[in-house]
Amino acid sequence: MKEQILELLKGRHTERLKTLLANSEELEILHIFYDLSPEEQVIVFRFLAKDSALSIFEQLDTDLQQNLLQSFTDDKVIEFVNEMAPDDRVRLLDEMPASVANKLINSLSAQERTATNVLMGYEPETAGRIMTPEYISLRKGMTVREALDKVRKQAKDKETIYTLFVTDNSKKLEGVITLKKLLTAEDGVVIKDIMSQKPIFVSTATHQEEAARLMQELDILAISVVDKEERLVGIITIDDALDVQQEAATQDFEIMAGVSPSQKQYLKTSVLTMTRQRVPWLLILMLTATVTGTIISGFEDSLAVLPALVAFIPLLMDTAGNAGSQSSVMVIRGMAVDEIHLRDAIKVLWKEIRVALFCGLFLSAVNFVRILLLNQNIRLNLTVSLTLVCTVVLAKTVGCLLPMCAKKLKLDPAVMASPVITSIADIGALIIFFSIARAVLGL
Amino acid sequence: MKEQILELLKGRHTERLKTLLANSEELEILHIFYDLSPEEQVIVFRFLAKDSALSIFEQLDTDLQQNLLQSFTDDKVIEFVNEMAPDDRVRLLDEMPASVANKLINSLSAQERTATNVLMGYEPETAGRIMTPEYISLRKGMTVREALDKVRKQAKDKETIYTLFVTDNSKKLEGVITLKKLLTAEDGVVIKDIMSQKPIFVSTATHQEEAARLMQELDILAISVVDKEERLVGIITIDDALDVQQEAATQDFEIMAGVSPSQKQYLKTSVLTMTRQRVPWLLILMLTATVTGTIISGFEDSLAVLPALVAFIPLLMDTAGNAGSQSSVMVIRGMAVDEIHLRDAIKVLWKEIRVALFCGLFLSAVNFVRILLLNQNIRLNLTVSLTLVCTVVLAKTVGCLLPMCAKKLKLDPAVMASPVITSIADIGALIIFFSIARAVLGL
């Protein structure tokens, strides 16, 4: 179908394009949309029926949305933004220049503005920011029949109808029931008797990743978001949880590689922005590495006596860095997916030390044989092998401890990944190396 | 012994029969089993200890198995089938009427189902492996009322009722409709008129991550999985997509840190397994680092003339490694979330080169000032600064190209992350350093 669309576009067969689009599935169009050029997207979008246009628009990434908005007249922009679901709208407004966003917010109808403002008032990356107020609420005294009628009537305007929320007069959350349960119950049954009485909920201030993780663990399609008085103010749906989870992983990848995280797609980020994202860490780490250099300078006389020592510096530095990174990444990820907690610190440390000993011993055995075969100084050989074991143990100890310390200090553990650990491990490796060299080789 | 059993059966000496069976060899019982009438089989089977019962059951011919299953209560059938070895189970299921087999497959725990799907012939990490056959199928000629009745009736046994799948007699997928749409339509409307006519689907061979990504992009709660003949064989639900996505990210983190991926939780992995996961990469990288060492040895005379050079080795190696890792991680992640494609290679390369130039120039400017302040050799200063620029450009070029090459070669791009890039960047950095040093310093 993509080929068909492109052909019609090329031939300017607008009427036929319109018909084709009208007879196509939204999902299919959405699927094709990502493969079109920005210009083609604008043209195709113009020929969509209004309802499908809105529905497709809401599901696009924000940068595609912005591209489309730029092609609209002001009136059309306002109309469009007004009709978007509040949480999708907040996502769009969040990424827009503040002045444009403000203009748009002002243009919203009073009701829509309230919904958006509610969402905008919460801290970034909290449940409050990504929730939608478009849920269906029931009363516990309703019968199944009454509830189903309400669901049918309100379904169109709601983001999900598959999880229904039971509240009292003051909007206090009293229970949750799935549409599945409702549909399989007898008409006359009262909601109170079949709802989950103690629904899981998060607060508006809960971190969005925690909310997403909770939904994943419980295999639920929507979760309640309550305010301080435990009144239901919104819900988070599973599709948002999926997005949150993916963003969180991407952010961790970036931080762990020493790149300041951004929401923007790689290809759409300017060279200058990218440079700004990357230079700070490179700079910090470069300056840290001068410490390592200073250490080497401090041992210059040892090096003068036995220049062969220098050749082992890369091997020791790299192995230290790699061994430390392995541990830090495993621990960081373990904490991110909630498998490792701070209370496990001792267990983790003990495990890493044993793994480090095994790895270190294995590596130094291989290295010992390698140097022997190359017929080098046996004392030098011993020095390198001994250093390897100590270095791997040190690197892995630091590698597992630092992310946990960061977490304890409420910092992002991902910061304590490869680059930082490598710098620290390097310093440790060289100090160990030269100390052992002095002792064993009598330098 | 057969006579003994028959006698005890006839005399209803149940206790003695139980004791006799408990003291007999499984193989012996199995042997006798074939000579008993179906009724006698059922009775004898009931008096077997549970473990021998299962073991004997697995070894029976499928027709005897089916005879026994018919005598069980539903719960017992489920319990039994669930506990069978997957290969025996597949053999049994293969011979059963499709409807009974489906019912049994549905009753399996998620884990057992996966095992069964494996043996039913789907590759690991494919849609076929994680799909569930627990969906509700409708016919396009049904009215909304009829469809809703079917949903209500079948809801209990299905994994999801929120997406309904329309198939023809030969199970060919004809459409998809959400429960929301069904609930908001008039009772008399025919499904055909309101269903999505061209549903998005994946094949059993589609990679699970692709299926999950598709569901995320389209914001759908379930996706159809079809076989080669486009017959619907299962569906993937959003909760599985969430798990797939998280597993995929974890796996990438592990590979990128030079740890062989495993499905096991950190705290549940033994020290030996962990060592095995980590040693291979450490070893490969350590041996690669000896190349770096050899390069240094090759320049030993230069170092003898100007020992101060050595102090800059860590700075150059670390900066090269970090700069390269930044690029490789960004590109690997970009490809993982489908933002970067192979056709973007030139764009990515051009972007990285410019970013590298900016980063490199900035770093060498800072470094130049730092060395100036420390009052060091101006030529040495120039050497280091020039090396920094060249090294960062080289590292970022290699860092962005290697993951894309890996992808082109159908390898996992994540392999080309920090550890590998660091090794390569180190070698490059040192060669550049010593070459420039020789030229500028006339060593």
Side-chain angles (χ1 to χ4, degrees):
Chain A
M1 186 180 136
K2 191 189 158 193
E3 290 70 33
Q4 241 177 311
I5 290 183
L6 286 179
E7 219 164 277
L8 294 176
L9 271 177
K10 218 186 262 167
R12 308 265 168 226
H13 300 300
T14 54
E15 276 314 306
R16 279 170 59 202
L17 181 59
K18 222 169 175 168
T19 318
L20 175 66
L21 290 172
N23 292 320
S24 304
E25 294 297 324
E26 265 171 32
L27 280 181
E28 205 179 354
I29 301 174
L30 184 64
H31 192 49
I32 292 166
F33 221 79
Y34 282 98
D35 292 332
L36 298 175
S37 74
E39 295 74 29
E40 289 164 349
Q41 287 172 356
V42 170
I43 301 172
V44 168
F45 199 78
R46 292 222 174 134
F47 291 119
L48 288 171
K50 206 186 130 198
D51 276 353
S52 0
L54 183 63
S55 158
I56 287 174
F57 186 80
E58 283 183 344
Q59 293 170 68
L60 290 174
D61 289 341
T62 35
D63 49 327
L64 294 191
Q65 288 176 336
Q66 294 196 34
N67 167 49
L68 287 173
L69 282 182
Q70 276 163 21
S71 76
F72 292 177
T73 61
D74 274 1
D75 281 357
K76 182 117 189 245
V77 171
I78 290 169
E79 184 193 332
F80 238 78
V81 173
N82 224 318
E83 286 181 20
M84 289 176 76
D87 57 335
D88 291 326
R89 186 163 48 222
V90 167
R91 187 166 57 93
L92 173 63
L93 292 174
D94 249 356
E95 305 255 313
M96 279 185 154
S99 57
V100 184
N102 276 335
K103 202 180 128 197
L104 279 175
I105 291 176
N106 289 335
S107 72
L108 295 173
S109 70
Q111 202 189 348
E112 293 298 338
R113 191 160 54 221
T114 312
T116 303
N117 277 340
V118 170
L119 292 180
M120 295 284 267
Y122 303 108
E123 292 292 309
E125 308 211 334
T126 61
R129 192 61 88 87
I130 57 165
M131 70 188 181
T132 170
E134 292 181 3
Y135 56 86
I136 293 182
S137 62
L138 305 174
R139 289 295 153 85
K140 61 181 175 187
M142 281 178 167
T143 62
V144 166
R145 152 107 314 175
E146 287 165 345
L148 273 176
D149 281 347
K150 181 166 185 186
V151 171
R152 283 188 154 192
K153 219 172 290 162
Q154 297 197 343
K156 271 212 172 116
D157 303 325
K158 303 300 176 181
E159 192 141 323
T160 185
I161 63 165
Y162 302 136
T163 310
L164 307 158
F165 302 83
V166 184
T167 55
D168 68 7
N169 279 329
S170 58
K171 292 194 88 182
K172 248 186 110 135
L173 182 66
E174 296 190 308
V176 161
I177 184 169
T178 63
L179 184 57
K180 184 170 176 177
K181 207 158 185 181
L182 203 61
L183 265 184
T184 49
E186 299 295 327
D187 277 354
V189 172
V190 178
I191 296 299
K192 193 185 151 189
D193 298 332
I194 52 171
M195 70 183 191
S196 299
Q197 307 260 6
K198 284 183 190 161
I200 306 284
F201 58 82
V202 296
S203 96
T204 51
T206 304
H207 197 280
Q208 57 181 12
E209 286 175 38
E210 202 185 315
R213 197 158 48 229
L214 207 54
M215 293 175 73
Q216 186 188 14
E217 278 172 12
L218 303 173
D219 275 0
I220 52 178
L221 296 179
I223 196 165
S224 325
V225 183
V226 301
D227 64 11
K228 278 180 195 135
E229 285 77 38
E230 290 203 5
R231 281 183 310 237
L232 184 63
V233 286
I235 62 166
I236 299 173
T237 50
I238 185 93
D239 53 309
D240 292 321
L242 205 63
D243 292 340
V244 163
Q245 203 186 57
Q246 175 153 329
E247 261 172 41
T250 298
Q251 201 173 316
D252 275 358
F253 275 112
E254 290 172 344
I255 296 174
M256 289 164 83
V259 177
S260 316
S262 92
Q263 305 277 21
K264 266 202 152 158
Q265 290 196 7
Y266 179 92
L267 291 173
K268 298 199 173 117
T269 311
S270 74
V271 170
L272 271 185
T273 307
M274 262 190 192
T275 307
R276 266 201 305 270
Q277 282 180 285
R278 300 186 189 182
V279 152
W281 273 112
L282 287 180
L283 188 62
I284 293 171
L285 297 165
M286 185 182 83
L287 294 178
T288 314
T290 63
V291 175
T292 326
T294 313
I295 292 171
I296 296 187
S297 303
F299 290 93
E300 231 164 49
D301 20 323
S302 308
L303 288 175
V305 180
L306 192 62
L309 282 179
V310 181
F312 292 99
I313 290 180
L315 180 148
L316 293 170
M317 275 175 57
D318 281 352
T319 305
N322 290 326
S325 301
Q326 287 181 332
S327 306
S328 73
V329 169
M330 296 299 281
V331 171
I332 291 169
R333 185 62 184 166
M335 291 196 292
V337 299
D338 223 22
E339 278 175 21
I340 297 178
H341 305 95
L342 283 182
R343 60 172 182 272
D344 304 317
I346 301 295
K347 251 189 269 177
V348 171
L349 180 63
W350 175 224
K351 191 162 248 180
E352 287 296 332
I353 289 178
R354 282 176 297 164
V355 173
L357 270 176
F358 285 129
C359 287
L361 286 172
F362 184 84
L363 292 180
S364 47
V366 172
N367 202 56
F368 195 86
V369 173
R370 188 184 67 84
I371 303 185
L372 262 192
L373 292 176
L374 295 174
N375 228 349
Q376 282 180 312
N377 188 328
I378 183 100
R379 272 166 181 270
L380 178 60
N381 193 347
L382 250 168
T383 303
V384 174
S385 295
L386 204 56
T387 306
L388 263 178
V389 179
C390 298
T391 297
V392 172
V393 173
L394 173 78
K396 284 199 173 294
T397 305
V398 173
C400 75
L401 284 182
L402 281 193
M404 293 193 285
C405 291
K407 175 126 185 182
K408 180 85 189 165
L409 297 172
K410 308 229 178 277
L411 298 171
D412 187 343
V415 169
M416 297 302 175
S418 316
V420 172
I421 299 292
T422 300
S423 293
I424 297 174
D426 282 356
I427 296 175
L430 289 182
I431 293 180
I432 293 175
F433 183 44
F434 287 115
S435 307
I436 295 182
R438 281 192 170 166
V440 175
L441 298 163
L443 296 174
Chain B
M1 188 181 133
K2 191 190 159 192
E3 288 73 26
Q4 239 180 313
I5 288 180
L6 285 178
E7 225 173 83
L8 292 175
L9 269 176
K10 216 184 264 168
R12 308 263 168 227
H13 300 299
T14 54
E15 274 317 307
R16 279 169 62 199
L17 179 59
K18 223 170 178 168
T19 317
L20 174 66
L21 289 170
N23 292 321
S24 306
E25 291 296 319
E26 265 175 32
L27 275 180
E28 209 179 351
I29 302 173
L30 185 65
H31 190 55
I32 293 166
F33 222 80
Y34 282 103
D35 290 329
L36 299 175
S37 74
E39 291 75 21
E40 287 164 350
Q41 286 173 357
V42 170
I43 299 170
V44 168
F45 200 78
R46 290 214 176 142
F47 288 118
L48 287 171
K50 205 183 136 198
D51 278 354
S52 358
L54 184 63
S55 160
I56 288 173
F57 185 81
E58 282 178 345
Q59 294 168 70
L60 290 173
D61 288 347
T62 37
D63 51 344
L64 294 192
Q65 286 177 335
Q66 293 192 36
N67 166 49
L68 286 172
L69 281 183
Q70 276 161 22
S71 77
F72 291 176
T73 61
D74 272 6
D75 280 355
K76 182 111 190 249
V77 170
I78 290 169
E79 188 195 330
F80 238 78
V81 174
N82 225 319
E83 285 184 13
M84 286 177 78
D87 53 340
D88 294 317
R89 182 161 56 222
V90 167
R91 188 168 55 92
L92 172 64
L93 294 173
D94 258 349
E95 305 261 309
M96 279 184 156
S99 59
V100 183
N102 272 337
K103 200 180 132 199
L104 280 176
I105 291 178
N106 289 346
S107 70
L108 296 174
S109 68
Q111 204 188 349
E112 292 299 333
R113 191 158 60 222
T114 311
T116 303
N117 278 344
V118 173
L119 291 159
M120 296 207 143
Y122 303 111
E123 293 290 313
E125 307 210 335
T126 61
R129 195 65 88 89
I130 57 163
M131 70 189 181
T132 165
E134 292 176 18
Y135 57 86
I136 293 182
S137 62
L138 304 175
R139 289 295 154 85
K140 61 182 174 185
M142 280 179 170
T143 62
V144 166
R145 151 109 316 174
E146 287 166 347
L148 274 177
D149 282 347
K150 181 165 186 187
V151 171
R152 284 187 155 192
K153 219 172 290 161
Q154 297 196 343
K156 273 212 173 114
D157 303 325
K158 304 299 177 178
E159 191 142 323
T160 184
I161 63 165
Y162 303 136
T163 311
L164 306 157
F165 301 84
V166 185
T167 56
D168 68 7
N169 279 329
S170 58
K171 290 193 91 182
K172 245 186 114 135
L173 182 66
E174 296 191 309
V176 160
I177 183 168
T178 63
L179 183 58
K180 184 172 177 176
K181 208 159 185 179
L182 203 61
L183 264 184
T184 49
E186 298 294 326
D187 277 354
V189 171
V190 178
I191 296 300
K192 193 184 153 193
D193 296 333
I194 51 170
M195 70 183 191
S196 295
Q197 308 259 6
K198 284 182 189 158
I200 307 284
F201 57 82
V202 296
S203 95
T204 49
T206 305
H207 196 280
Q208 59 180 13
E209 287 175 38
E210 201 185 317
R213 198 157 48 228
L214 207 54
M215 293 175 73
Q216 185 188 15
E217 273 175 17
L218 303 175
D219 276 0
I220 52 180
L221 296 180
I223 196 164
S224 327
V225 184
V226 302
D227 64 11
K228 278 182 195 134
E229 286 77 36
E230 290 203 7
R231 280 183 310 236
L232 184 63
V233 285
I235 62 166
I236 299 173
T237 49
I238 184 93
D239 52 309
D240 292 324
L242 207 63
D243 292 340
V244 163
Q245 204 185 57
Q246 174 154 329
E247 259 173 41
T250 299
Q251 199 173 316
D252 276 358
F253 275 112
E254 290 172 346
I255 296 175
M256 289 163 83
V259 177
S260 315
S262 92
Q263 304 278 23
K264 263 200 156 161
Q265 290 197 5
Y266 179 93
L267 291 173
K268 294 192 179 130
T269 312
S270 73
V271 170
L272 270 186
T273 307
M274 263 191 192
T275 307
R276 266 199 305 271
Q277 282 179 286
R278 300 186 187 182
V279 151
W281 273 111
L282 287 179
L283 188 62
I284 293 171
L285 296 166
M286 183 182 84
L287 295 178
T288 314
T290 62
V291 176
T292 325
T294 313
I295 293 171
I296 296 187
S297 303
F299 289 94
E300 231 165 50
D301 21 324
S302 308
L303 288 175
V305 180
L306 192 61
L309 282 179
V310 182
F312 292 98
I313 289 179
L315 180 147
L316 293 170
M317 276 175 57
D318 280 352
T319 305
N322 291 326
S325 302
Q326 287 181 332
S327 305
S328 72
V329 169
M330 295 300 280
V331 171
I332 291 169
R333 184 62 184 166
M335 291 196 292
V337 298
D338 222 23
E339 279 176 20
I340 297 178
H341 305 95
L342 283 183
R343 60 171 184 273
D344 303 318
I346 301 294
K347 252 189 270 179
V348 171
L349 180 61
W350 176 224
K351 191 162 250 181
E352 287 295 333
I353 290 178
R354 284 176 295 164
V355 173
L357 271 175
F358 284 128
C359 288
L361 287 172
F362 184 84
L363 292 181
S364 47
V366 171
N367 202 56
F368 195 86
V369 173
R370 189 184 64 86
I371 304 185
L372 262 192
L373 291 177
L374 295 176
N375 229 348
Q376 282 182 312
N377 188 330
I378 183 99
R379 273 166 180 270
L380 177 60
N381 193 348
L382 249 168
T383 304
V384 174
S385 295
L386 204 54
T387 306
L388 262 179
V389 179
C390 298
T391 298
V392 172
V393 173
L394 174 77
K396 284 198 173 296
T397 305
V398 173
C400 76
L401 284 182
L402 281 193
M404 293 193 285
C405 291
K407 174 126 187 183
K408 180 85 189 165
L409 297 173
K410 309 230 177 276
L411 298 171
D412 188 341
V415 170
M416 297 302 175
S418 315
V420 172
I421 299 292
T422 300
S423 293
I424 297 175
D426 281 356
I427 296 175
L430 289 181
I431 294 180
I432 294 175
F433 183 44
F434 286 115
S435 308
I436 296 182
R438 280 191 171 167
V440 174
L441 298 162
L443 296 174

